[in-house]
Amino acid sequence: MARIFISATHKSSGKTTVSIGLCAALRAQGSIVQPFKKGPDYIDPLWLGAASGRACHNLDFNTMTPDEIIQTVQRYSLNTDIALIEANKGLYDGMALDGSDSNAAIAKLTRSPVVLVVDTRGMTRGIAPLLLGYQAFDRDINIAGIIFNRVGGARHAAKLRESVEYHTDINVLGAVQNNPEMEIEERHLGLMPSNESGEAEAQIARIRDLVAEQVDLDLLRGIAATAEEGVCNTPLRSEGRGVLHTPSSHSPLRIGICRDPAFGFYYPGDLEALQQAGAELVPVNTLTDTALPDIDGLFIGGGFPETHMQQLAANVAMRESIRTAIDNGLPTYAECGGLMYLSRSLVWNGQQAAMVGIIPGDAVMHPKPQGRGYVKLQETADMPWPGGNMTHTINAHEFHYSRLENLTATGKFAYRMQRGTGIDGQHDGWIYRHLLASYTHMRDTSQFHWAQRFVAFIRQTTRKTTA
């Protein structure tokens, strides 16, 4: 199975833009490209998925076992020509001092050759000792190629190439010139999501053409073909993220999924898990639809409600439809942006807009993150979903600039924070009737099959309602 690991020496080197270009360029040449992204992330995978034409899946040591990571790569790479795994931050960056959760650890686990994208501004001969140090730091990592990025011109590229070819054995795949047409607009959570950008397709095409002109794609394919076999040929296990669960024998439940420019943060594997548990996913547009469809449950994921707050507020009919449905007992799960939408109002940049109003507080945006990074939590006795374990630690993540303020009621919480911020620094998972709303982003893996439990909760609630 041909695969490549695209990393960098440090964050903000431009590796995501280059990876988008590689996915699109390889696809344009007829290759079936399967993208993966290391770590918890929604935005970069949206772009990689749009560029490749295939859903991008995350590989994360925090929520997945090594076997699950291997099986995920194996499963989604079946019947493809090349798998492209994009790192987050630098090659050796991670939280663990021993590097066990680093990008390099993913490359090593999947036995993938590494191509480094290096921001070469202000650099010439110094590129060589940098690369030699990266090679020497861990001899088990196969740094097989380099792509010079943000190069100043042909002369600059020539000096860089001469230094690398003279001092190292690393293949030079290309030199991508510093070009504003390669840039994707950024905002407080990173790149603007492709589901919000009306020009995403055109921007991907521009990046594709520039990368295709400046990177040797045949050499990239050749390096990917050298990926070691063995690890990714292990049989699929009967548990974990890398397998299809047996479809439910129950009649399908209809779960509304809010998917529009305001809400787009969903892990593809989680949506698959909902379907495998017996759910039919029904799209809901909070910006243009005027009422919820006929559904048994509702899932509102994360996103950027703040950038669409006026349009969300203006759609009074949808806000009232959701509030009435939740008041009437519709099982609902909301994460981060979804929680903000369900609050009384959203406050950002000196403006305040009315939201659904089911949570008696205001989602107030701040200049700096109010919760960021990996979280650890435990369920409380109030957790409404069946199958819980109050002694089990759940690994997840959060990234929010808003804080729920001016709460006018004391609520029950589904989670107790061991690490992280959540809603009040100690708890997360606001409970009201059959609603669970949290700042925490969950991932359906063997350590927490939230999708199955949510579907079971809907069935349980439906039985009680119809009894």
Side-chain angles (χ1 to χ4, degrees):
M1 178 175 55
R3 59 191 177 277
I4 199 81
F5 192 91
I6 307 296
S7 191
T9 52
H10 58 81
K11 183 182 177 182
S12 301
S13 296
K15 68 182 178 327
T16 297
T17 305
V18 171
S19 295
I20 291 167
L22 291 173
C23 284
L26 290 167
R27 180 188 181 191
Q29 291 186 351
S31 295
I32 301 173
V33 186
Q34 175 57 55
F36 298 93
K37 174 72 180 184
K38 193 267 186 186
D41 192 347
Y42 294 103
I43 299 175
D44 291 359
L46 282 171
W47 282 99
L48 292 169
S52 65
R54 294 176 65 90
C56 177
H57 292 266
N58 297 69
L59 310 175
D60 184 12
F61 283 115
N62 185 56
T63 54
M64 305 171 74
T65 66
D67 275 352
E68 282 182 294
I69 291 173
I70 291 171
Q71 291 166 8
T72 297
V73 173
Q74 178 188 357
R75 175 186 172 192
Y76 293 106
S77 297
L78 286 175
N79 302 317
T80 66
D81 298 310
I82 183 171
L84 185 148
I85 307 171
E86 193 214 333
N88 65 344
K89 300 184 179 181
L91 177 62
Y92 292 112
D93 290 329
M95 294 183 64
L97 184 61
D98 64 359
S100 57
D101 62 356
S102 66
N103 293 286
I106 291 282
K108 191 182 300 187
L109 178 66
T110 60
R111 297 186 181 178
S112 302
V114 174
V115 170
L116 286 179
V117 176
V118 180
D119 184 342
T120 59
R121 288 176 295 185
M123 183 183 296
T124 53
R125 185 170 178 266
I127 189 76
L130 176 69
L131 294 176
L132 290 170
Y134 267 68
Q135 284 184 310
F137 190 77
D138 188 341
R139 295 292 185 184
D140 291 331
I141 300 298
N142 175 21
I143 300 177
I146 180 173
I147 296 173
F148 305 136
N149 196 29
R150 296 171 180 150
V151 175
R155 184 179 178 187
H156 185 202
K159 288 184 176 180
L160 291 166
R161 181 181 288 273
E162 288 171 0
S163 183
V164 171
E165 291 179 345
Y166 183 81
H167 293 286
T168 81
D169 60 355
I170 298 175
N171 294 292
V172 176
L173 277 74
V176 179
Q177 303 292 318
N178 197 13
N179 188 332
E181 291 192 3
M182 289 284 290
E183 300 300 322
I184 297 174
E185 182 182 344
E186 293 200 28
R187 60 161 65 121
H188 46 283
L189 293 188
L191 299 179
M192 173 183 283
S194 62
N195 69 309
E196 280 192 62
S197 175
E199 295 188 358
E201 187 175 338
Q203 180 64 11
I204 289 171
R206 285 192 291 270
I207 296 171
R208 175 199 67 204
D209 292 344
L210 289 168
V211 167
E213 290 171 4
Q214 301 172 95
V215 176
D216 188 335
L217 298 179
D218 289 335
L219 180 54
L220 180 77
R221 285 193 186 89
I223 292 173
T226 67
E228 294 183 47
E229 297 297 343
V231 169
C232 287
N233 286 333
T234 55
L236 294 176
R237 305 280 180 91
S238 60
E239 77 280 355
R241 178 64 259 129
V243 301
L244 283 168
H245 298 288
T246 302
S248 171
S249 58
H250 297 283
S251 58
L253 292 173
R254 288 169 56 85
I255 297 181
I257 305 291
C258 295
R259 302 190 79 173
D260 50 50
F263 304 104
F265 292 178
Y266 300 97
Y267 288 122
D270 286 14
L271 299 183
E272 288 182 17
L274 287 169
Q275 293 172 314
Q276 291 158 10
E280 175 190 350
L281 305 185
V282 181
V284 175
N285 191 313
T286 59
L287 302 175
T288 59
D289 293 347
T290 56
L292 288 175
D294 180 18
I295 53 177
D296 302 294
L298 178 64
F299 178 22
I300 314 175
F304 288 102
E306 64 272 21
T307 63
H308 302 273
M309 57 190 282
Q310 299 303 337
Q311 192 175 354
L312 289 169
N315 193 353
V316 177
M318 176 54 83
R319 291 194 288 114
E320 291 181 347
S321 177
I322 292 176
R323 183 173 64 248
T324 300
I326 295 175
D327 267 330
N328 288 338
L330 179 71
T332 302
Y333 177 48
E335 289 186 345
C336 199
L339 176 150
M340 295 165 64
Y341 179 51
L342 295 180
S343 70
R344 184 169 51 228
S345 73
L346 205 165
V347 182
W348 187 45
N349 285 342
Q351 297 185 337
Q352 186 169 13
M355 294 290 110
V356 171
I358 205 73
I359 299 175
D362 305 304
V364 181
M365 295 289 291
H366 291 264
K368 295 182 179 180
Q370 301 302 295
R372 180 176 185 174
Y374 288 135
V375 303
K376 293 182 180 293
L377 29 78
Q378 286 183 326
E379 294 181 14
T380 69
D382 293 315
M383 173 55 154
W385 295 357
N389 182 345
M390 293 174 59
T391 65
H392 176 63
T393 296
I394 303 167
N395 293 327
H397 65 96
E398 63 179 342
F399 195 173
H400 52 99
Y401 279 71
S402 75
R403 188 168 63 226
L404 197 58
E405 300 180 5
N406 310 317
L407 284 166
T408 57
T410 301
K412 294 181 179 180
F413 295 97
Y415 307 115
R416 183 180 300 105
M417 307 300 296
Q418 293 181 316
R419 172 184 175 173
T421 304
I423 289 176
D424 64 1
Q426 295 182 313
H427 304 93
D428 205 359
W430 182 275
I431 300 169
Y432 170 74
R433 292 185 63 77
H434 297 143
L435 163 70
L436 192 160
S438 68
Y439 272 118
T440 298
H441 292 285
M442 293 296 179
R443 181 95 184 275
D444 190 276
T445 62
S446 61
Q447 59 107 31
F448 186 61
H449 282 302
W450 76 261
Q452 295 178 22
R453 292 180 59 190
F454 181 46
V455 171
F457 175 63
I458 296 172
R459 291 195 185 282
Q460 171 184 293
T461 305
T462 302
R463 285 198 300 270
K464 289 181 179 178
T465 302
T466 56

